[in-house]
């Protein structure tokens, strides 16, 4: 079975973001970028499926600017066999990305597609579900366990209040949650080898997909700052304040 | 304007989130219908009909909608969405699972986690783990929206909507329900609790989370955790408060042994009153806490429990 894994280049999760002075967007100039953490989990899961002998080939794909090839090289260093870069400098929203990935699914015919459940920049949590709808495939979102069993996959999902397990026919779309696995670090020899692995570059036009969206970003602001309060000296003082000042007890 | 709200269900009953989503729909304005889809959901439909501002409750009661699996739910919504200008659901794991399928099949974008309504086509939503708030305008003919429930006060009861059966039945040969394990608890649900007490890495291990039990019992609180505590394996992920977990906004939030990482603050900073208990007086959590108590949580927690 071939596994397609989608990755996204985003701001490094350790970086504190700044809003631009003109409120047009978040300032990403000279900011450290990295693979979206949920996508790292997706790559790890795909590689583990290959190590278990379930997957025969792992193909990494991204949609983004030229620089996003760094994240594809990371995926290759972590164990993906080859990569597809759909190059665009436009702001590609979830729907456009899902349409592009649907074209790749059509060409590659994978047995499973694994994506992160959300990217930590736009926090949309949509692309996997949209891809599933567009390809008319079943979906196992927010996965904390993925088990392939013959022509089906069992996906345990993190839902509000607990866990739910669903059985899906293959091919299927899976999106990763935090506890699915703990991604490995790429070793230096693998990083060197990754430079020689094949990478195919296409454009949205090659795939016949329009990237423009009907949603416009009007303004970006910093959230209202919460002011710190006071320090209390004892449990008694805390209880007194909560009862008599905040009146929440 | 004409709005369809997908009702959230919890074990077949109407979940509290729905009253918040209806409030968001009222902020947009127009006729509000609620779709209750599942198996054996008449009681949930009757509860939805009482929500203030709802004109009509549409009930799709069929085994294919049991557990609200994404594939049949998406197909049902596609059938029903015609004639509506907006389709809303809460940003619960069900809403997040189902709504993007509708959006994709209708060839429109989705706006996720909307926390404020500026107008019928312009909304505010958090990006970058809540560290920025984006104002976005949608020119799509159908607006598909998930709602962050903490952004809208729940509507009350007092409505008397009509209830109408939907006989659309879709096929689903692709997915099937295997099992569900919901955490058994007498405590209020984390998302809707008036008081939340959360533990972080400072709790040391999972066993020590029992120190929060007695206080939670006395306050009627739900128990949460930081991502650090979840990642360390102390407690399950469904207890996680933060951008990658639950977003809460209770009357009182007590953070114990939590340093206050950005991703945690994104999940609780809209709480009315925040209390922080931490041994490190430089911990960032104190910058957002109304009341901070510096000290050893293993001494403070038993004392707090006995004095409440």
């Amino acid at each position: 079975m071939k596994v397609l894994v989608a990755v996204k280049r985003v701001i490094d999760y350790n970086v504190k973001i700044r809003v631009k002075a003109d409120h047009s967007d978040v300032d990403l100039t000279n900011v450290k970028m990295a693979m979206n953490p949920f996508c790292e989990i997706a790559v790890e899961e795909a590689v583990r499926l290959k190590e278990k002998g379930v997957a025969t080939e792992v193909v990494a794909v991204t949609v983004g600017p030229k620089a996003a090839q760094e994240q594809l090289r990371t995926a290759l260093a972590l164990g993906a066999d080859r990569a597809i870069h759909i190059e665009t400098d436009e702001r590609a929203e979830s729907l456009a990305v899902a349409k592009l990935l649907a074209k790749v699914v059509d060409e590659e015919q994978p047995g499973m597609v694994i994506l992160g459940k959300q990217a930590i920049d736009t926090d949309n949590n949509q692309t996997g579900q949209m891809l599933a709808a567009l390809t008319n495939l079943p979906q196992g979102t927010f996965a904390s366990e993925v088990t392939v069993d013959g022509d089906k996959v069992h996906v345990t999902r993190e839902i509000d209040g607990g866990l739910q397990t669903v059985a899906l026919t293959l091919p299927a779309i899976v999106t990763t949650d935090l506890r699915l696995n703990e991604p490995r670090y790429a070793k230096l020899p693998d990083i060197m080898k990754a430079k020689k692995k094949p990478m195919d570059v296409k454009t949205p036009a090659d795939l016949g997909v329009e990237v423009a969206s009907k949603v416009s970003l009007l303004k970006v602001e910093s959230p209202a700052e919460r002011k710190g309060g006071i320090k209390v000296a004892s449990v008694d003082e805390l209880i007194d304040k909560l009862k008599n000042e905040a009146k929440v007890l | 304007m004409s709005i369809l709200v997908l009702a959230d269900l919890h074990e077949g009953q109407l979940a509290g989130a729905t009253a918040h989503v209806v409030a968001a729909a009222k902020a947009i304005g127009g006729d509000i219908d609620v779709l209750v889809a599942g198996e054996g959901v008449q009681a949930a439909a009757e509860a939805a009909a009482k929500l203030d501002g709802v004109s009509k409750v549409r009930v799709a009661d069929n085994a294919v909608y049991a557990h609200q699996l994404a594939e049949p739910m998406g197909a049902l919504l596609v059938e029903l969405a015609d004639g509506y200008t907006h389709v809303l659901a809460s940003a619960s794991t069900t809403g997040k699972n189902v709504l993007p399928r509708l959006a994709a099949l209708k060839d429109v974008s989705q706006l996720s986690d909307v926390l404020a309504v500026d107008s019928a086509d312009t909304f505010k939503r958090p990006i970058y783990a809540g560290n920025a708030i984006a104002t976005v305008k949608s020119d799509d003919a159908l607006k598909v929206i998930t709602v962050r429930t903490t952004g809208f006060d729940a509507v009350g009861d007092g409505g008397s909507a009509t209830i109408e059966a939907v006989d659309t039945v879709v096929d689903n040969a692709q997915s099937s329900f295997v099992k569900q394990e919901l955490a058994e608890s007498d405590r209020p649900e984390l998302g809707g609790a008036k008081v939340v007490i959360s533990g972080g890495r400072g709790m040391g291990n999972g066993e020590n989370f029992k120190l929060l039990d007695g206080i939670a019992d006395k306050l009627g609180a739900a128990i949460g955790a930081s991502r650090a505590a979840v990642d360390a394996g102390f407690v399950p992920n469904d207890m996680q408060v933060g951008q990658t977990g639950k977003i809460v906004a209770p009357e009182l939030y007590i953070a114990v042994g939590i340093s206050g990482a950005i991703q945690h603050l994104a999940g609780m900073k809209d709480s009315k009153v925040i209390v922080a208990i931490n041994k490190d007086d430089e911990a960032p959590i104190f910058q957002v806490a109304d009341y901070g108590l510096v000290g050893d949580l293993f001494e403070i927690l038993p004392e707090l429990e006995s004095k409440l």
Side-chain angles (χ1 to χ4, degrees):
Chain A
M1 178 173 80
K2 188 194 284 184
V3 174
L4 183 70
V5 57
V7 301
K8 185 177 184 186
R9 174 183 174 86
V10 297
I11 190 167
D12 185 279
Y13 75 99
N14 286 313
V15 174
K16 189 162 167 45
I17 61 135
R18 290 184 315 269
V19 171
K20 285 183 183 172
D22 66 0
H23 295 292
S24 61
D25 206 341
V26 165
D27 192 352
L28 295 180
T29 0
N30 300 323
V31 163
K32 188 180 174 207
M33 303 294 277
M35 188 190 293
N36 178 44
F38 290 104
C39 302
E40 288 184 332
I41 297 172
V43 173
E44 177 67 31
E45 196 64 18
V47 171
R48 287 188 191 188
L49 285 173
K50 193 178 171 195
E51 287 166 349
K52 279 186 214 154
V54 176
T56 49
E57 187 186 24
V58 175
V59 181
V61 57
T62 195
V63 177
K66 181 113 191 153
Q69 290 189 5
E70 287 170 25
Q71 280 61 50
L72 286 177
R73 290 292 170 204
T74 304
L76 293 169
L78 292 169
D81 298 293
R82 61 187 171 90
I84 301 168
H85 178 209
I86 303 169
E87 188 175 344
T88 176
D89 289 325
E90 276 189 78
R91 186 168 58 95
E93 296 218 346
S94 306
L95 181 63
V97 174
K99 285 180 184 176
L100 290 163
L101 294 178
K103 296 286 184 182
V104 175
V105 168
D106 200 35
E107 283 177 6
E108 296 282 341
Q109 296 290 318
M112 192 187 295
V113 186
I114 311 179
L115 308 87
K117 74 166 181 180
Q118 74 189 63
I120 60 165
D121 49 4
T122 53
D123 289 328
N124 275 327
N125 195 332
Q126 299 170 1
T127 306
Q129 296 90 312
M130 287 180 161
L131 174 63
L134 295 175
T135 51
N136 193 28
L137 293 176
Q139 69 190 43
T141 52
F142 329 140
S144 64
E145 198 180 344
V146 174
T147 316
V148 176
D149 182 12
D151 58 352
K152 288 205 167 170
V153 59
H154 282 226
V155 179
T156 300
R157 309 177 51 236
E158 304 258 3
I159 59 166
D160 295 334
L163 297 171
Q164 180 190 67
T165 306
V166 290
L168 311 173
T169 54
L170 290 169
I173 311 291
V174 171
T175 77
T176 62
D177 215 321
L178 288 175
R179 289 195 301 171
L180 180 58
N181 60 50
E182 204 169 310
R184 69 195 71 187
Y185 292 97
K187 296 192 199 86
L188 189 59
D190 294 330
I191 294 171
M192 300 310 286
K193 266 187 244 163
K195 291 180 180 167
K196 298 204 175 90
K197 288 186 178 176
M199 186 180 304
D200 199 8
V201 182
K202 297 170 195 279
T203 65
D206 294 341
L207 296 166
V209 173
E210 184 65 53
V211 172
S213 146
K214 287 195 170 153
V215 173
S216 38
L217 183 60
L218 301 184
K219 190 166 64 174
V220 174
E221 298 159 286
S222 294
E225 288 284 321
R226 198 184 168 104
K227 286 200 193 77
I230 55 160
K231 294 242 172 77
V232 292
S234 67
V235 169
D236 291 314
E237 189 187 349
L238 176 64
I239 292 174
D240 175 63
K241 292 282 187 193
L242 290 177
K243 273 191 178 143
N244 301 316
E245 194 174 89
K247 297 188 169 44
V248 287
L249 287 188
Chain B
M1 246 103 50
S2 179
I3 303 169
L4 181 64
V5 169
L6 173 64
D8 250 46
L9 303 179
H10 183 70
E11 295 182 338
Q13 301 299 309
L14 189 72
T18 308
H20 296 266
V21 182
V22 170
K26 283 181 87 173
I28 294 168
D31 280 339
I32 302 169
D33 292 352
V34 173
L35 170 64
V36 179
E39 186 184 22
V41 291
Q42 283 305 321
E46 282 158 27
K50 294 196 183 92
L51 293 176
D52 193 28
V54 176
S55 343
K56 187 166 69 184
V57 175
R58 306 180 73 180
V59 192
D61 198 332
N62 189 285
V64 76
Y65 306 121
H67 307 290
Q68 299 191 314
L69 298 183
E71 299 76 14
M73 289 294 291
L76 173 67
L77 282 168
V78 169
E79 292 288 321
L80 300 183
D82 285 340
Y84 292 103
T85 54
H86 299 69
V87 176
L88 271 57
S90 85
S92 63
T93 46
T94 303
K96 287 175 174 170
N97 195 33
V98 172
L99 246 57
R101 286 187 79 102
L102 166 68
L105 293 170
K106 288 288 183 186
D107 197 25
V108 298
S109 294
Q110 176 182 306
L111 305 178
S112 295
D113 274 309
V114 162
L115 44 76
V117 174
D118 282 6
S119 73
D121 62 8
T122 305
F123 305 89
K124 285 193 166 58
R125 58 174 304 266
I127 53 175
Y128 293 90
N131 290 302
I133 306 296
T135 304
V136 289
K137 178 169 183 283
S138 167
D139 290 323
D140 280 315
L142 175 69
K143 274 87 170 157
V144 176
I145 293 169
T146 62
V147 173
R148 179 168 289 193
T149 49
T150 56
F152 300 89
D153 291 333
V155 298
D157 281 349
S160 53
T162 54
I163 300 181
E164 173 191 289
V166 171
D167 42 25
T168 309
V169 177
V170 300
D171 288 330
N172 178 25
Q174 292 186 317
S175 63
S176 56
F177 173 82
V178 177
K179 63 176 178 179
Q180 193 149 290
E181 296 154 50
L182 295 182
E184 301 268 328
S185 173
D186 297 334
R187 298 191 199 288
E189 202 222 342
L190 198 50
K194 288 201 159 50
V195 181
V196 174
I197 181 163
S198 291
R201 201 197 293 277
M203 298 301 293
N205 60 45
E207 187 68 16
N208 289 338
F209 265 73
K210 287 192 179 139
L211 292 169
L212 305 179
D213 284 351
I215 299 170
D217 286 342
K218 287 194 170 173
L219 296 175
I223 298 181
S226 69
R227 179 170 165 180
V230 172
D231 283 351
F234 297 173
V235 289
N237 193 37
D238 58 3
M239 286 173 66
Q240 189 195 144
V241 172
Q243 179 67 15
T244 50
K246 298 274 190 333
I247 312 289
V248 302
E251 298 278 309
L252 173 61
Y253 187 89
I254 306 175
V256 184
I258 292 176
S259 64
I262 293 169
Q263 101 90 26
H264 185 73
L265 301 184
M268 45 66 84
K269 68 181 170 50
D270 294 329
S271 305
K272 191 163 161 249
V273 175
I274 297 174
V275 170
I277 298 170
N278 203 302
K279 67 177 181 206
D280 173 12
D281 67 352
E282 300 284 315
I285 190 77
F286 289 119
Q287 291 164 22
V288 300
D290 299 282
Y291 304 107
L293 181 52
V294 179
D296 182 355
L297 65 92
F298 297 104
E299 288 166 18
I300 291 171
L301 290 177
E303 187 185 347
L304 183 60
E305 182 183 340
S306 69
K307 287 180 174 166
L308 277 170

